Amino acid sequence: MATTAKQDYYDLLGVPRKAAQKEIRAAYRKLARKYHPDLNPGDKSSEEKFKQVQEAYDVLSDTKKRQMYDQFGFETPGAAGMPSPGDGGDVHFDFGGFDFGGGGGTGGGPSFRDLFSQYFRGGGGVAEAPTHAEPGSSLEYQIEITFWEAVRGTVKKLTIARMDACTDCHGTGAVGQSQTCTACGGSGQVAQTSGRMRFNLTCTRCGGTGRLKNMCRLCGGEGRVRRVDTIEVRIPAGVQTGSRVRVAGKGNAGTNGAPTGDLYIITDVQPHPFFNRRGDDLYTSVPITVTEAALGAKIEVPTVDGRSLLRVPPGTNSGQKLRLREKGVPSVRDPRHRGDQYVELQVMVPKPIDERVRELLKELEKLAPEDPRKDLFDRAKA
């Protein structure tokens, strides 16, 4: 029997042998749109190419079929007229007489898909037509906002590029009235014979529905087109760098009417020169005089709400931290809860440039003699 060399399925789809299903599916959809008979009326070469692409995808999209193809290639165990799958026999087939399109021929022999169906379904099972309706993927956009926008919340106007539902076909991929499939006569199935064996297969032209839809030429039958939209996004109070704000239904539209994905806004908050944010808490540094530190005082400090009064206790040392309750940033998860503000006091020592100041400092030393380092070396030896 003469043999006809067939193109490797991976080469046919233009993907590597270790390609993931997502990559295989994307390659198939691109080629199927390119060679689809409805978009190339009367072009026999495109129709034949479409059948070959369909055949390759039927095999590589099925885990078991792909595993068998990777192992045997076109050397397939259990063909019609040969040992069954349980007999373990191998045979080389002449694929030149096979109908790769599953178009209902009754001559030469079964299609390669028939052999896979026979091998994995016990002979004569109905092959499942592949479905191309996929949910839309989600999108991510990063935006930069100011410290005050993060604290108080804001509304941002964004321009995004996304796949949107086709306006001509309303996301279905088809327009007008459907027609009876000419390949299966409206039954949704086609017959294949191999010797004395007969196979009923799902029609690949109509996907088993028995009806042919008029493909939308605007979207190529995918049901979606690329558009640039301008939307307003509300950024809640309390977000920080790395926060994800979800906008439902603003991702890519699904194919053939499948659900739309979501849009996620990733925030990048600019730092503030005075307020240092850590989570929902704020940290600030405020200078005080020696007199305020020694005697105590009430001072005004900046907060995100404006001026607030802070009591400095007598004998405060430089670097001591005081807390202002609920003067921090609102929680993005629960706006009723706020963080705190921590104020680090920095004692500013006066420069002794005036003789009178020098005399007063010396007099203070005599009145309140103190050695802050008296235990320093004992603690160092411990």
Side-chain angles (χ1 to χ4, degrees), residues 172-188:
T172 64
V175 293
Q177 296 292 327
S178 61
Q179 301 174 354
T180 302
C181 178
T182 55
C184 64
S187 66

Side-chain angles (χ1 to χ4, degrees), residues 56-263:
Y57 181 69
D58 284 351
V59 174
L60 299 185
S61 63
D62 186 290
T63 302
K64 290 183 178 180
K65 294 180 182 180
R66 183 181 180 183
Q67 183 180 3
M68 182 179 173
Y69 176 74
D70 289 343
Q71 182 177 357
F72 298 103
F74 293 102
E75 298 275 348
T76 310
M82 294 296 174
S84 66
D87 295 335
D90 290 349
V91 63
H92 180 78
F93 291 101
D94 176 10
F95 292 100
F98 287 3
D99 177 8
F100 277 79
T106 59
S111 70
F112 195 50
R113 180 173 53 256
D114 302 347
L115 297 177
F116 278 119
S117 298
Q118 174 186 346
Y119 187 80
F120 289 108
R121 303 175 190 269
V126 177
E128 295 180 1
T131 177
H132 310 306
E134 300 176 2
S137 59
S138 296
L139 297 176
E140 286 189 356
Y141 274 76
Q142 182 169 315
I143 64 170
E144 188 177 80
I145 60 176
T146 66
F147 169 83
W148 292 110
E149 287 175 331
V151 170
R152 297 167 179 167
T154 185
V155 175
K156 286 289 187 180
K157 184 175 290 187
L158 306 177
T159 300
I160 61 172
R162 55 187 291 264
M163 298 298 291
D164 199 7
C166 177
T167 55
D168 282 14
C169 64
H170 305 290
T172 64
V175 293
Q177 296 292 327
S178 61
Q179 301 174 354
T180 302
C181 178
T182 55
C184 64
S187 66
Q189 293 186 339
V190 294
Q192 289 272 314
T193 59
S194 174
R196 298 179 181 179
M197 302 183 69
R198 181 181 179 87
F199 304 91
N200 289 324
L201 305 174
T202 299
C203 178
T204 58
R205 186 76 185 275
C206 65
T209 64
R211 307 290 294 178
L212 288 178
K213 297 180 179 180
N214 297 319
M215 182 180 295
C216 176
R217 295 187 178 274
L218 178 61
C219 64
E222 189 176 349
R224 59 182 189 171
V225 293
R226 181 169 294 277
R227 285 199 177 92
V228 176
D229 289 342
T230 299
I231 62 174
E232 288 188 347
V233 178
R234 187 184 71 84
I235 307 298
V239 297
Q240 51 189 308
T241 295
S243 293
R244 289 163 57 92
V245 179
R246 175 175 174 263
V247 185
K250 289 300 181 179
N252 285 326
T255 60
N256 296 329
T260 303
D262 298 326
L263 171 65

Side-chain angles (χ1 to χ4, degrees), residues 282-284 288 297 299 301 310-313 316-317 319-325 340-345:
L282 295 175
Y283 289 79
T284 57
I288 60 174
I299 62 173
V301 296
L310 178 68
R311 179 181 175 275
V312 179
T316 296
N317 292 317
Q320 185 172 338
K321 292 184 177 67
L322 302 178
R323 181 172 67 171
L324 292 172
R325 294 181 181 274
D340 301 326
Q341 179 175 335
Y342 292 88
V343 180
E344 181 178 339
L345 300 175

